[in-house]
Amino acid sequence: MYIPLLIEDFFEEVQNHLNDANSLIEYVEDNFKRLDDPLLNDPEVRNKLQDFYNYIIEMKNISEERINKRLKHIPGMIKRFRLKHLIYKVKRKDELKPLDTPVKYIKGVGPKRSQKLKKLGIETLENLLNYFPRDYEDRRKLIPISLLKEDDKVVTKGVISSIEKVKRGGLTIVSAVLSDGIYQLLLKWFNQDYMENILKNFLRKEVYVFGTVKRGFYGVLEIQNPEIEISKDNAREIFPVYSLTEGLNQNILRNLLKENLFEVYNYEDILPQDIKSKRELIDLYEAYTGMHFPKSVFHQKKARFRLAYEEILYLQLAFLYSRKNTEKIGGFPKKFSGKYSSQLISELPFELTDAQKRVYEEIKNDLKSEKPMNRLLQGDVGSGKTIVSELAILDNYEAGYQAAIMAPTSILAIQHYKKMYNDLVKFGMRVALLIGATSNSEKIRIKNGLKNGDIDVVIGTHALIQEDVHFKNLGLAIIDEQHRFGVEQRKELISKGKIVDTLVMTATPIPRTLSLAIYGDLDVSVIDEMPKGRKKVKTFLVHQSKIEEVYRFVRSEIEEGGQAYIVYPLIDESDKLAVKAATTMYESLSKNYFPGVKMGLIHGKMSDNEKDDVMYKFSKGEIKILVSTTVIEVGIDVPNATVIVIENAERFGLAQLHQLRGRVGRSNKQSYCYLTVGNVSRETWERLEFFASTNDGFKISEYDLRLRGPGEFLGVKQHGLPDFKVADIVNDVKIMVLAREDAEEVIKTPEKYSRLLERVKEIYKERLKLLEVG
């Protein structure tokens, strides 16, 4: 008895044997007789497969040269067979409906059912067509009863030989015996009395049965609550599985799609033929059929590729179209010799890394260009993005323009101000800090200075985008930790000038697919090299039971002249969460573990002045241990801090943990990170183990993105994540790259692809305006 083999699985294996003719011949001889596929009902398919079999077996008796020729031809033969026989060739019906037809007017619906469909977001025919399956059940492979295994989800075949109904207390069991003449299988339905009458119609008839094999009493194999139908060709298909709501089942949705899929008249295939040929894309109707009722796994994959590619192509075209429009407006090429930036570089106590030099050159070329700069600067924590931005500020100042730096928090804005102030004022620049805590009189002075040009550089928070903030000549906008800002907020800052060069920076490495999906209109620079002499932070994952050993290590580092952070997920204790809180642990640590050690506490409920005072004392070494929440997550730079303890580390995302770990390891001293956890799940422990195993921010981001998905990874909805129905930002890396490549070609000759670009404008409309800021 053979395990049945589908044609497409047979071809997959044939391709795996193409490197060795003898191995190929042996595989085909041994397995051709196993072919059992509903497609074999087609005489043309049977004849082609027989010819294919002969073509390979004849290789036993021909020369090596002819064998090699045949081996080269086989992939093409398989490709042609797949395209002709593994994809449904669609025939549209005569009576066609528009896409915007209300769902209650389409076949099989009506007012009541339309209300249930509305719960699934289906209100029009177009909504229905785009309600794609969440999974598929492949019922083509027919497994004989003798080869059934426990827990396998299968289709098997036999004759219903007997039926029985028994009652046990409140439970009714309808049973039937399925027999193939030699072997038998028990079928059971629980509390489904109506099945008795249905089964009587099937008695002594051949049926197909679908379900999961279980082992019942006395070790007998059975299928509970199986689906059953008379043997016919369409029972062996790939069935779509949809997400449901009350009052709708799989059969209802399947029948609705079958009835209406080919009754649409204005589903225009926008993609030009040259692109479809280049990427081997199937027809649009074939793609929709392949998503709902695929003829094969090959058909479903080709369908998904077609629709995902189209969605991603439209997005990339929107990005590039937006950028092209911005470039048409034109910018002001900035004229500068680089005398200030060169002087600062020569005075630095360290040498810029090659990556910093490369990125600075890219930014400098943007500033000198007639096109407005729109650049994303990525760099891992501690890679030196700030100094690169300072060089751009100096060049912008030499050219006669003002600059604005916007940070997401006051604490980070203050850090930037303190870090940049001394570097900039020695060149005669007038630098100001504008945050929420700035006094009213100082705010008035700064706003007047920006308006009349007395202030050259302002560093601040959201306060910079208030309506009464005006610049005399804003030429450069730098947005730090840009993922913390919404698209509109970035747009508001840039609108403060006429034509502004924009540099957005992030220390959260963004995987390439996500970068293309969200910041596809920006040029991307990456500082992928750490300053010389930096040592990798050593990271340890420890159970909470060993916390006293961790505290002893912290004390030893303090005694050696270092400083430490101890971070908690909460400010105050919670009745609902069994996790530690910063305020209570500050008291406990001061009293029980670090008596005599100068400690500080910082959290989000403190005023800006209070936080600034604590950070100042910590940066000067007056505070040795800083107990904190995640307010220290970004931008805090205290080179003398050599150890960070993150308690209840399971409460943080990996990207957040990476930012926190980046607070240490900012000098040539060896630094340490301790992650402490209580009793956590195996998955959580493995996630944290992975984090402890690497210091590579991009690896961590890729892992985190796969784990949490793009929405949660970014933390907010304001990024304008594309609303894809088919495409997947995380997994469609190759499609994203191909679509970007093609979009760049399309945008070069817009007149050739005018209809395609019109479609992009229809889809993205207002969002195109926001895309200009990324």
Side-chain angles (χ1 to χ4, degrees):
M1 184 72 70
Y2 298 111
I3 296 175
L5 184 64
L6 295 171
I7 293 169
E8 61 180 327
D9 295 338
F10 172 70
F11 280 143
E12 283 288 336
E13 280 302 314
V14 165
Q15 288 187 307
N16 291 337
H17 287 80
L18 287 178
N19 291 330
D20 183 342
N22 291 327
S23 168
L24 173 63
I25 293 165
E26 184 182 339
Y27 172 78
V28 171
E29 275 190 319
D30 290 347
N31 293 279
F32 188 74
K33 51 185 166 291
R34 287 176 52 208
L35 285 174
D36 178 32
D37 193 306
L39 291 178
L40 291 168
N41 293 323
D42 182 346
E44 186 182 353
V45 169
R46 287 201 305 274
N47 292 336
K48 280 191 177 177
L49 283 171
Q50 189 61 55
D51 290 344
F52 185 77
Y53 172 83
N54 295 337
Y55 188 79
I56 290 171
I57 300 304
E58 285 167 6
M59 287 161 58
K60 286 181 178 180
N61 306 312
I62 59 177
S63 68
E64 189 173 342
E65 184 183 352
R66 290 179 65 198
I67 286 173
N68 289 333
K69 276 187 179 178
R70 289 199 176 193
L71 288 174
K72 285 179 184 174
H73 288 152
I74 286 171
M77 294 170 72
I78 292 174
K79 181 179 175 181
R80 288 189 293 276
F81 181 94
R82 282 171 169 163
L83 291 172
K84 180 158 188 187
H85 298 289
L86 296 188
I87 292 175
Y88 282 123
K89 298 302 168 188
V90 178
K91 290 181 181 177
R92 292 162 70 182
K93 296 183 180 178
D94 295 330
E95 296 177 15
L96 302 176
K97 298 184 181 73
L99 279 171
D100 58 0
T101 303
V103 75
K104 66 180 175 183
Y105 297 127
I106 69 173
K107 200 177 290 182
V109 181
K112 282 187 179 178
R113 188 167 281 175
S114 70
Q115 290 305 308
K116 291 169 184 172
L117 289 168
K118 191 175 180 179
K119 291 178 184 176
L120 298 175
I122 301 171
E123 297 188 62
T124 64
L125 178 56
E126 183 174 20
N127 295 154
L128 179 67
L129 298 187
N130 286 311
Y131 192 72
F132 296 117
R134 61 174 173 79
D135 202 358
Y136 298 89
E137 288 174 352
D138 193 342
R139 303 188 186 180
R140 295 172 300 160
K141 194 178 284 188
L142 198 59
I143 307 297
I145 295 174
S146 61
L147 296 178
L148 296 181
K149 292 178 184 174
E150 191 177 356
D151 295 325
D152 281 356
K153 206 169 192 178
V154 297
V155 176
T156 191
K157 184 171 74 168
V159 172
I160 298 290
S161 59
S162 65
I163 304 163
E164 181 184 48
K165 182 167 89 169
V166 296
K167 289 196 175 186
R168 292 179 187 157
L171 184 68
T172 304
I173 304 173
V174 176
S175 304
V177 174
L178 185 75
S179 170
D180 64 6
I182 302 173
Y183 298 96
Q184 294 182 333
L185 178 70
L186 191 60
L187 311 177
K188 286 183 180 177
W189 290 265
F190 297 96
N191 286 336
Q192 297 176 53
D193 295 49
Y194 63 89
M195 282 304 302
E196 184 181 19
N197 291 328
I198 292 173
L199 288 167
K200 284 177 182 175
N201 295 325
F202 291 156
L203 192 60
R204 283 180 279 282
K205 291 179 181 173
E206 189 176 67
V207 295
Y208 287 128
V209 172
F210 175 77
T212 303
V213 180
K214 298 290 181 189
R215 201 168 289 283
F217 290 114
Y218 312 112
V220 174
L221 290 180
E222 61 183 39
I223 297 181
Q224 298 176 1
N225 303 313
E227 292 182 42
I228 184 169
E229 57 182 298
I230 293 289
S231 294
K232 53 186 179 182
D233 293 342
N234 65 1
R236 293 179 64 188
E237 293 179 346
I238 298 175
F239 283 71
V241 179
Y242 298 95
S243 296
L244 301 172
T245 189
E246 190 177 350
L248 294 173
N249 59 37
Q250 294 297 342
N251 284 336
I252 290 172
L253 277 172
R254 287 168 188 162
N255 289 333
L256 281 178
L257 263 307
K258 271 186 180 167
E259 288 288 346
N260 295 285
L261 188 57
F262 311 117
E263 294 195 350
V264 184
Y265 75 75
N266 61 343
Y267 224 58
E268 186 185 354
D269 195 343
I270 300 292
L271 290 187
Q273 191 55 48
D274 58 339
I275 290 178
K276 287 199 284 189
S277 300
K278 180 182 178 183
R279 298 302 176 198
E280 298 182 347
L281 303 175
I282 62 175
D283 171 80
L284 187 61
Y285 269 91
E286 290 171 353
Y288 269 85
T289 312
M291 287 299 289
H292 290 288
F293 304 105
K295 191 174 185 180
S296 61
V297 173
F298 173 76
H299 188 189
Q300 192 276 328
K301 285 180 178 175
K302 291 289 281 185
R304 191 193 172 281
F305 183 91
R306 156 71 204 240
L307 297 179
Y309 170 89
E310 190 165 355
E311 286 183 322
I312 294 170
L313 179 69
Y314 290 156
L315 176 73
Q316 294 305 320
L317 283 170
F319 280 137
L320 296 176
Y321 183 80
S322 166
R323 180 195 283 185
K324 192 167 185 179
N325 281 351
T326 306
E327 289 172 359
K328 273 183 191 171
I329 297 166
F332 301 119
K334 295 184 169 68
K335 294 178 181 176
F336 54 89
S337 64
K339 61 181 180 181
Y340 297 143
S341 51
S342 299
Q343 186 180 330
L344 180 60
I345 291 170
S346 69
E347 293 172 357
L348 291 173
F350 55 85
E351 187 184 349
L352 294 179
T353 63
D354 290 341
Q356 285 173 311
K357 291 174 185 173
R358 182 189 69 243
V359 168
Y360 171 49
E361 280 300 316
E362 290 168 352
I363 293 169
K364 197 160 58 171
N365 290 337
D366 283 350
L367 293 174
K368 289 182 175 180
S369 165
E370 290 183 357
K371 298 171 185 174
M373 175 167 72
N374 224 359
R375 186 168 291 277
L376 170 67
L377 172 55
Q378 292 194 70
D380 218 334
V381 282
S383 61
K385 296 179 296 299
T386 306
I387 188 63
V388 173
S389 67
E390 281 185 38
L391 296 173
I393 291 166
L394 285 169
D395 289 338
N396 179 73
Y397 168 66
E398 187 191 342
Y401 293 88
Q402 293 168 299
I405 301 102
M406 187 163 72
T409 64
S410 295
I411 196 168
L412 184 51
I414 292 164
Q415 286 284 310
H416 277 319
Y417 178 74
K418 288 181 175 176
K419 210 172 191 180
M420 292 182 176
Y421 185 84
N422 290 333
D423 286 343
L424 301 179
V425 294
K426 61 187 171 190
F427 296 102
M429 296 180 74
R430 294 154 296 185
V431 185
L433 174 70
L434 182 60
I435 57 176
T438 306
S439 68
N440 285 333
S441 59
E442 181 67 0
K443 280 180 182 173
I444 292 167
R445 187 192 70 80
I446 292 169
K447 289 172 184 176
N448 286 335
L450 291 171
K451 192 173 183 179
N452 61 32
D454 287 343
I455 291 174
D456 304 302
V457 179
V458 63
I459 300 165
T461 55
H462 300 75
L464 294 178
I465 56 176
Q466 291 172 346
E467 283 184 21
D468 60 346
V469 176
H470 303 282
F471 291 80
K472 183 181 181 182
N473 196 16
L474 180 64
L476 176 63
I478 298 175
I479 297 152
D480 195 19
E481 291 306 317
Q482 49 73 38
H483 63 284
R484 300 285 192 91
F485 293 103
V487 175
E488 283 286 3
Q489 291 168 321
R490 298 196 287 274
K491 186 182 178 188
E492 282 171 31
L493 178 60
I494 293 160
S495 68
K496 299 286 183 183
K498 291 178 184 174
I499 304 290
V500 180
D501 285 316
T502 310
L503 180 66
V504 294
M505 304 197 299
T506 179
T508 302
I510 302 166
R512 188 175 183 204
T513 45
L514 201 54
S515 181
L516 279 174
I518 305 167
Y519 308 114
D521 58 329
L522 303 182
D523 294 309
V524 179
S525 292
V526 182
I527 300 179
D528 51 7
E529 184 183 356
M530 297 301 280
K532 292 179 177 68
R534 291 277 175 92
K535 295 176 181 175
K536 288 184 178 178
V537 178
K538 291 182 178 179
T539 306
F540 303 97
L541 177 59
V542 296
H543 191 269
Q544 193 63 43
S545 59
K546 296 184 178 178
I547 193 65
E548 291 192 11
E549 292 177 33
V550 175
Y551 292 158
R552 281 198 291 275
F553 180 80
V554 171
R555 180 174 276 281
S556 71
E557 282 294 297
I558 302 300
E559 289 168 356
E560 290 288 324
Q563 289 169 269
Y565 300 94
I566 303 180
V567 182
Y568 296 95
L570 301 177
I571 297 174
D572 300 306
E573 281 191 333
S574 164
D575 293 331
K576 295 178 181 176
L577 300 171
V579 295
K580 295 180 180 179
T583 51
T584 49
M585 285 308 299
Y586 171 71
E587 300 296 334
S588 173
L589 292 170
S590 304
K591 184 178 176 184
N592 302 319
Y593 296 100
F594 301 104
V597 176
K598 182 65 176 169
M599 297 182 67
L601 172 67
I602 189 169
H603 56 71
K605 287 185 179 177
M606 296 164 67
S607 70
D608 288 341
N609 288 334
E610 287 172 323
K611 285 186 279 191
D612 188 31
D613 183 54
V614 173
M615 282 310 306
Y616 177 78
K617 288 176 180 174
F618 186 64
S619 66
K620 292 298 179 186
E622 294 174 30
I623 291 173
K624 298 298 181 185
I625 298 176
L626 183 59
V627 177
S628 171
T629 58
T630 56
V631 291
I632 59 131
E633 182 186 339
V634 289
I636 309 305
D637 187 4
V638 180
N640 196 47
T642 56
V643 59
I644 183 167
V645 180
I646 305 169
E647 302 219 32
N648 291 113
E650 73 276 8
R651 303 283 306 170
F652 302 96
L654 295 190
Q656 196 173 28
L657 286 174
H658 187 59
Q659 293 300 316
L660 289 167
R661 179 170 59 182
R663 296 317 101 215
V664 297
R666 304 182 83 88
S667 69
N668 56 5
K669 296 177 182 177
Q670 180 61 59
S671 291
Y672 307 88
C673 173
Y674 284 90
L675 311 172
T676 74
V677 294
N679 296 322
V680 294
S681 67
R682 182 180 168 186
E683 290 80 5
T684 299
W685 186 268
E686 286 175 357
R687 176 173 69 92
L688 295 173
E689 264 191 332
F690 171 80
F691 174 78
S693 72
T694 181
N695 283 69
D696 187 324
F698 281 94
K699 283 184 181 174
I700 290 166
S701 285
E702 289 279 3
Y703 186 92
D704 206 23
L705 178 60
R706 289 189 180 280
L707 215 60
R708 298 194 292 156
E712 201 181 329
F713 174 85
L714 290 165
V716 282
K717 291 184 178 177
Q718 60 196 14
H719 287 75
L721 275 170
D723 184 21
F724 290 150
K725 293 182 179 70
V726 179
D728 181 332
I729 290 173
V730 180
N731 295 309
D732 287 333
V733 186
K734 289 180 182 174
I735 301 178
M736 194 78 73
V737 172
L738 293 176
R740 177 70 175 201
E741 208 177 278
D742 294 343
E744 286 171 350
E745 288 302 311
V746 167
I747 219 75
K748 287 176 187 173
T749 51
E751 58 288 343
K752 181 181 174 184
Y753 300 102
S754 56
R755 182 66 192 97
L756 180 60
L757 290 170
E758 282 302 316
R759 179 69 176 142
V760 171
K761 290 181 216 171
E762 288 165 20
I763 293 170
Y764 284 96
K765 295 176 186 169
E766 291 301 311
R767 283 187 60 186
L768 275 168
K769 296 174 185 176
L770 299 183
L771 288 172
E772 291 172 13
V773 230

